[in-house]
Amino acid sequence: MLALKFCLMVAGMLLLATAVGIPLYGLGIRIRERLKKDKGEEGSLASNQVEHKPILEPIQWRLPLALAIIACLPMMMATSIIVVPSGMGGVRVSQIGGTMPGTLYPGVHFVTPLVETVKTFDLRDHLYTAGIVDEGNRDTNNKDSKQKGGLDVQSREGLDIALAVTVRYHLDPRRLDHVEEHLPQPVDRELVPPVVASAWRELAPSYTVKEIFSSKREEVRAKAAETITRKLGADGIVVEEVMLRDIQLPAEYSKGLEGLLLKEQENDQMGVTTEIQQKQVKIAELQAEAEAVQKVKQSEGEAQSRVVEAKGEADAMQYTLPLKQKQIEQSKLEAEARKEATIQNAQADAEAKVIDSKAELQRRNLFADAEANRIRLMAAADAERMKSEAAMLNESPLLINKIIAERLSDKIQLMMVPSDGKFFFANDVFKTAAASNPALKHEMEGDDEKSGAAHGSAH
């Protein structure tokens, strides 16, 4: 919004500058043209025949006037935008109706231009301090040096006391219209100082100097804070804290108070010394009594310890014999227990050996039965196998030749041909060779007879 307000103001100012510049520029051009014409006509016209013409011609004012009127619009819009900064509060003040109710908090607000204005107030905490010592001009050796802006009050005795007071306060944001309309401005200088001074000066005469300085200092501060808070709160000022930082007493009273304090300190010191001496005497008495009691207690303790030792020895003699008898009996019982344990262990070992031998015998019998069953099963299996092989040989006797040939050598080539020689492609070849060779023919006939005999036996 601040950028928009700035842009509107710049636009209005530029329009106003343009409205003023247009007639000035036209006026300058006309003056230069008129001067040129005057110089050109001086040589041709006589001095008595010079015609007096107006130097300036009429200028058009309508456009600049229109621009000026237009320039007022953005400027009025800019003045209607009000930005309340952070930590501040504002109140509308109308030229017609006066102070308007309500508070403008930090942010952007719009007002009626040329009719309303905004009065801003600082809503942050303020400090009013009375009684600040001027360190640059203060004489450290002079105790009567006055405070700059000190708050002087009178006590019940009529003595003047200088107070250093600080009040922390802030304006109530909800009552800014009341502050603007009814209170003197600025409030920090016109209202707060007299109210604070009045509260302290009304309260101080009710107390003595000693009460204000020491015994009832906090009570005085609390009552003054209550009075100041009540009075300023009625006018829309919220008091946060009232601090009583320092109190300067009158010079004569300070000197008397110092003497009194010194005497009190001496009295206190003497009392403390007396108490210390009394305590030392009491400590010595107590130490002597303690030593006597300690000696008595020590002798009584030694006598009691001797009596206890004697009783202990007698009691020990009474309990020693029964204890030894019990130890002997315990040894006998332990020996008998070991003997019985040895016998029981021997019996258990014998029984275990018997059980082991029985188990071994049963294991061997089981192994023998299993081996006999295995042999019977293998014999039955071999018989079945031989029966099946005999059946197969009866069905195909040539398997014997095949088995023998396979077991002879892997270099023998075996060929299976039909026994009758039918449907065999090499049959004609063998017959032709046999016809040419009588010996081969005789061998083939012998083979045929053998094969036929085998075939017949198979049937």
Side-chain angles (χ1 to χ4, degrees), residues 220-233:
V220 173
R221 188 204 64 80
K223 288 185 177 181
E226 182 181 357
T227 303
I228 294 170
T229 303
R230 186 181 69 255
K231 289 183 177 181
L232 293 180

Side-chain angles (χ1 to χ4, degrees), residues 275-287:
E275 289 180 359
I276 291 173
Q277 292 176 355
Q278 290 177 356
K279 289 180 180 179
Q280 289 177 351
V281 173
K282 188 69 175 176
I283 290 170
E285 293 177 356
L286 293 174
Q287 287 179 351

Side-chain angles (χ1 to χ4, degrees), residues 93-100 112 114-116:
V93 179
S94 176
Q95 302 297 328
I96 300 173
T99 303
M100 301 178 67
T112 304
L114 304 178
V115 178
E116 295 179 353

